[in-house]
Amino acid sequence: MLLGALLDAGAGTGAVVDAVRSLKVPGLDVSVGRARRGGFACARVTVSRPASPDRARHLADVLDLLAGADGVTPAAARVARRTFELLAAAEGRAHGTAPDRVHFHEVGAYDALADVVGCAAALDDLGLLAEHAVVTCSPLAAGSGAVRCAHGTMPVPVPAVLHLAAGAGLELAGGDLPGERTTPTGAALVAAVAAPRPMPPMTVRAVGTGGGSRDTPDRPNITRVVLGETTGASSGPVEGDVVVLESTVDDLDPRFWPSVLDALRAAGAWDCWTTGVIGRHGRPGRVVTALCSQQMRRAVTDALLLHTSTLGVRWTTYRRATLPRRGALVSIGPAQRPEGVLVKTAERPDGTVTAQPELSDAERAAASLGWPLRTVCEAVMDRWHRDQPSADAPGPDGPDA
């Protein structure tokens, strides 16, 4: 559906088809047609799969396919790698194993490969992977009920979607929708390129609509992409609501706190921490605090009640202002097998820009390259600074152009 929306918004079909075919998987192809969902016209993408049975893959298998795809641009390849790395990390957290040991089942299948590579190529063709591009997303419709997968029947949203949302700060909504509405592949694609923010003020230039396989009677089964040029000052603080949950715990084994914080993030907390306190009768304890959206309050509350010994949770809603954050993928390491690290940036009201590498990405790159973590962070920031356009660089016709 996302690929259909990007193509409907103007991405070149040829660029997408060439990228998918360059994976060199005989029989793997994509085509786009027109359809109607809930009365609305949309693009409908079909993935043609090889006749031979597919197999489960590890992350290294997928990265090898991407490394040999000469029809995928460097920017699109970085996004595709980042998407599968996010998927591996989320599946690893869900199953308690290292990302490189995760067996990709549905998310490593032929159609997922086509979806990810096709979307990455479409994003690049539309200019949405350029440094100046700002990509935001609304809350993702999670769905409800259960879905059958390689691990049996799972509740919706499935664990990988929750871990992806927790890691990227994505908002989930639409619990009244039956069935699985956001898949791990879709959530990872959004997490790789977009920040959860309201639609910025902009002059709309194009609208793309992608349709799913189902034509549901109660609402259109579509995904929309809106392209435009920002208007006004969109880099200032963004105001919104944040739910703050707290509980005081004085009888939990201290060794359990790391797993508690992991569980809160997996349930949808944007951030969480503990603070030491002295409680009743002089007993030492911890106040655990979690930040989340209103939509995820119940899930985070349930996780806190399940993973600690507390008997109650309190919460309140605050207004807050946050700086819009953007991310840029930076590649380091050998040219034949580079490692991608996300650099998070934010522009302050005075125009200065702060930038920091995503620590989990840097740790993964350090383990893969055999470099010290400090060396990876320094290399990433050095490369990021070198990639920034110089304000003093002359134009194409000289300094006065």
Side-chain angles (χ1 to χ4, degrees):
M1 293 168 70
L2 178 57
L3 180 53
L6 292 168
L7 288 166
D8 195 43
T13 303
V16 171
V17 171
D18 289 347
V20 172
R21 289 178 179 174
S22 71
L23 290 169
K24 300 180 181 64
V25 178
L28 184 63
D29 208 347
V30 293
S31 60
V32 59
R34 304 301 301 175
R36 297 181 71 84
R37 292 292 180 263
F40 290 91
C42 59
R44 178 82 176 96
V45 171
T46 301
V47 177
S48 301
R49 290 170 286 186
S52 59
D54 203 355
R55 63 181 179 85
R57 297 179 177 86
H58 290 90
L59 177 60
D61 299 322
V62 175
L63 296 183
D64 284 341
L65 283 174
L66 294 174
D70 50 11
V72 181
T73 64
R78 286 195 295 270
V79 167
R81 283 197 301 269
R82 171 70 177 166
T83 301
F84 281 109
E85 288 165 354
L86 287 172
L87 278 167
E91 294 284 1
R93 285 192 291 269
H95 298 292
T97 187
D100 59 354
R101 297 182 62 85
V102 167
H103 279 91
F104 283 150
H105 296 284
E106 290 86 351
V107 297
Y110 289 134
D111 52 352
L113 286 166
D115 288 339
V116 171
V117 172
C119 282
L123 287 161
D124 192 31
D125 192 64
L126 290 170
L128 297 179
L129 303 185
E131 175 63 26
H132 65 274
V134 177
V135 184
T136 64
C137 65
S138 63
L140 305 181
S144 63
V147 63
R148 288 199 59 81
C149 61
H151 296 285
T153 301
M154 301 293 295
V156 172
V158 296
V161 169
L162 290 175
H163 284 292
L164 285 160
L170 301 177
E171 295 186 29
L172 300 180
D176 60 323
L177 293 171
E180 185 180 35
R181 300 296 175 140
T182 295
T183 65
T185 304
L189 275 164
V190 173
V193 297
R197 290 285 183 273
M199 182 183 294
M202 66 178 178
T203 301
V204 176
R205 299 302 186 195
V207 179
T209 305
S213 58
R214 292 173 291 187
D215 191 6
T216 49
D218 57 335
R219 68 195 79 193
N221 185 28
I222 56 176
T223 293
R224 293 194 304 175
V225 168
V226 182
L227 304 181
E229 298 173 3
T230 56
T231 59
S234 60
S235 60
V238 177
E239 294 189 0
D241 291 338
V242 59
V243 176
V244 181
L245 298 98
E246 287 187 340
S247 185
T248 304
V249 183
D250 62 4
D251 57 351
L252 184 71
D253 188 324
R255 297 174 298 174
F256 298 159
W257 280 114
S259 65
V260 170
L261 299 180
D262 285 344
L264 295 178
R265 295 188 187 98
W270 291 326
D271 199 3
C272 52
W273 61 89
T274 69
T275 307
V277 295
I278 300 296
R280 290 185 302 172
H281 313 298
R283 291 164 56 179
R286 312 291 298 179
V287 173
V288 56
T289 306
L291 307 181
C292 67
S293 66
Q294 181 62 45
Q295 294 94 331
M296 301 307 297
R297 177 183 60 80
R298 179 61 183 270
V300 177
T301 298
D302 288 349
L304 190 52
L305 292 170
L306 178 64
H307 291 274
T308 72
S309 54
T310 189
L311 300 179
V313 178
R314 55 190 178 270
W315 70 84
T316 188
T317 302
Y318 286 101
R319 294 288 292 172
R320 69 170 183 174
T322 59
L323 292 176
R325 281 160 281 188
R326 298 167 60 187
L329 277 173
V330 173
S331 294
I332 59 171
Q336 63 272 23
R337 191 66 177 274
E339 291 291 331
V341 176
L342 183 70
V343 175
K344 299 180 295 186
T345 65
E347 183 176 345
R348 299 192 183 281
D350 63 358
T352 59
V353 175
T354 64
Q356 289 290 339
E358 177 65 51
L359 189 60
S360 59
D361 281 7
E363 290 173 336
R364 173 192 45 74
S368 177
L369 296 171
W371 295 3
L373 179 61
R374 173 181 56 80
T375 302
V376 168
C377 291
E378 291 173 351
V380 167
M381 294 312 300
D382 179 65
R383 178 60 183 268
W384 182 83
H385 283 294
R386 285 191 284 116
D387 287 346
Q388 300 311 298
S390 172
D392 299 326
D397 298 318
D400 296 328

